[in-house]
Structures are given as structure tokens and as C-alpha cells.
Amino acid sequence: MPRTPLDRRTLQRETWLVLGVSLGASAIYAVLSIMRRLADNRPLNQQASQLNVSQAAQAWLDLLYQLADIALALVPVLLVFHLLRREMPSPASYLGLDRSRLKPDIALGAGLAALVGIPGLGLYLVARAAGLNTQVVASDLGDHWWSLPILVLSAVQNAVLEEVIMIGYLFTRWTQAGWRLPQILIVSALIRGSYHLYQGFGGFVGNIAMGLLLGLVYARTRRVLPLVITHALLDTVAFVGYALLHNHVSWL
């Protein structure tokens, strides 16, 4: 763990500010969203959560919106690299986001994706059947030549943003602040689950479980890249699979 000139209070304040301009803000809005949904007269499984939605009637302008959303969502990642660079020459290498172990990272990421993905789909279907989750509309971009590439880019952006901040950055800063590993694991996983509450309680529970698993893997390997690969594969399959199959599979 790199030495830091920052005291414990400053370290904790920094992490909450980073969360406040990124995934912590998403968690607040997700909590408000689930409150609004519960106040609705319809059961959760009769409501929909839309991801990757079209933002303009003109295809070229919609594409520009999608690219801008993806690029701007990665600014918090650049922010945490900037903050960590005060204490280490290469934050990406320290967090395990480099290519020094590319083949093992890919293998581990793919294995974790299979381990998480199948039970995750089962949990989603059970939660929807029980009225505890919304229908997740993973893509509503329309039929454009750029729709599938944008969905893949969106999946990679989600993976980089969440795993760098929720795992690499928070685990580093909270360890420097004197937190114990179980405390870091639980708080990080709860935040991860919270910003998925807009989907319903299935998304909340499933992402807590995923956060705990990925946090344990990081604590053992000190590598964020396999976690990014895992997350990117899961979201790519969800986004692209929905776009290709939703007109042909009744339960999507």
C-alpha cells in the first residue's frame, strides 16, 4: 500500500466527494427511483427500467449523444487517477489495470463472467416473477448501424467506471484510512447494490453479491483488469443479447 501524506479524515472526505460526483450520486437517484416505483399502484414487475435509450430523433445526433454520455461517464475514472498520481507514478499499474498479465486476466475475467452471469439471470427471472423487480429493457436505441457498437462501448464504460472506482480506488483509499477488509467489502458492495435499486430488489441483491465476489477476488489478486473484463462481458451479453433477441424471446 503506497504511503500517503493525507490523514484519515481527508482520505475519507476525498472518497465521499468522488462518489458524490459519480456512482454515489447514482445511488441517491436509484433510491429515489425505487421509492417512486413503490408509490406507483402497479407491481414492480409491471414497470420497466430502460437502459441505453435513444436521445434524439435524428440518428446522427443520437449517436453524438451516446458518445458524449460514454466519454463523460469516464471523467471520474480520470479524476481518481489524478488523485492517486500524487502518491504513485502509475495508478493504472498499481490498481492492476495494465497488460502485464493479460492472458491470465482474460481467463479469470471470462470465468468470473460465467460464474456470475448464469445465477444472475436466474435471480432476475425469479425476482420478476415474485414482483420484486422491474422488467429491464437493456437497449432501446433503434435499428442503426452504430447501435451494437455503442452497446459494447457502453458495457465497457460501465465496467471501467464501476470497477476502477468501487474496487480499485475505494479499496486503496479506505485501506490507507485504516478500514479493515470486511468493512471495505461490505460498504463497497452495498453502494454497488444501491445504485442498481432503480431496477428493483433483484438488481439490488444480485449486485451486492457480485460486489462481494469481485471485492474478494481483488483482495487476493490486486488486479482490477479481470474485474473489468468480467463486468464488460456481462453487460455486453445483456445489452447486445437484448437488442438481438427481445423481439423473439417472450420473457425478455
Side-chain angles (χ1 to χ4, degrees):
M1 185 60 57
R3 299 180 64 180
T4 176
L6 305 177
D7 59 38
R8 178 174 182 173
R9 181 175 297 180
T10 302
L11 288 166
Q12 294 182 149
R13 185 185 303 120
E14 180 189 289
T15 60
W16 297 122
L17 289 173
V18 168
L19 287 170
V21 297
S22 59
L23 296 166
S26 298
I28 292 171
Y29 282 115
V31 170
L32 293 173
S33 176
I34 194 65
M35 292 170 63
R36 174 174 53 81
R37 291 184 184 282
L38 292 173
D40 195 304
N41 291 326
R42 296 172 297 162
L44 284 177
N45 59 3
Q46 294 181 19
Q47 303 180 45
S49 301
Q50 293 183 311
L51 312 178
N52 301 300
V53 297
S54 179
Q55 300 189 56
Q58 299 84 359
W60 64 270
L61 185 56
D62 194 7
L63 174 59
L64 292 179
Y65 265 105
Q66 303 300 328
L67 292 172
D69 282 349
I70 290 168
L72 291 174
L74 292 174
V75 172
V77 175
L78 300 179
L79 173 61
V80 301
F81 284 168
H82 171 75
L83 294 170
L84 292 174
R85 193 167 285 117
R86 295 174 295 180
E87 298 141 41
M88 58 190 74
S90 176
S93 296
Y94 175 79
L95 298 179
L97 198 59
D98 58 357
R99 295 185 294 175
S100 62
R101 299 183 68 252
L102 187 57
K103 289 184 179 179
D105 286 344
I106 291 173
L108 178 57
L112 288 171
L115 180 64
V116 172
I118 296 173
L121 177 60
L123 176 62
Y124 166 70
L125 295 175
V126 169
R128 267 192 66 189
L132 298 174
N133 215 82
T134 64
Q135 177 188 2
V136 178
V137 179
S139 173
D140 190 22
L141 292 180
D143 187 17
H144 307 293
W145 65 265
W146 47 261
S147 296
L148 295 185
I150 284 293
L151 291 175
V152 174
L153 286 176
S154 179
V156 173
Q157 170 255 297
N158 287 344
V160 172
L161 174 66
E162 293 189 38
E163 304 314 324
V164 169
I165 291 182
M166 298 309 304
I167 301 293
Y169 170 71
L170 290 183
F171 276 51
T172 298
R173 281 307 198 216
W174 285 342
T175 300
Q176 290 174 323
W179 289 31
R180 296 181 179 275
L181 179 59
Q183 181 183 10
I184 297 171
L185 280 168
I186 292 169
V187 175
S188 174
L190 284 173
I191 296 171
R192 186 190 294 260
S194 296
Y195 60 74
H196 288 91
L197 262 173
Y198 69 92
Q199 299 176 7
F201 297 104
F204 176 67
V205 172
N207 278 279
I208 288 177
M210 177 175 167
L212 291 172
L213 173 63
L214 298 188
L216 286 170
V217 172
Y218 179 74
R220 183 175 180 84
T221 65
R222 306 303 298 181
R223 301 284 300 170
V224 166
L225 184 56
L227 312 184
V228 171
I229 292 169
T230 297
H231 197 145
L233 287 173
L234 290 170
D235 279 8
T236 296
V237 170
F239 296 168
V240 174
Y242 183 91
L244 295 176
L245 298 176
H246 75 281
N247 288 328
H248 309 285
V249 179
S250 60
W251 50 264
L252 283 177

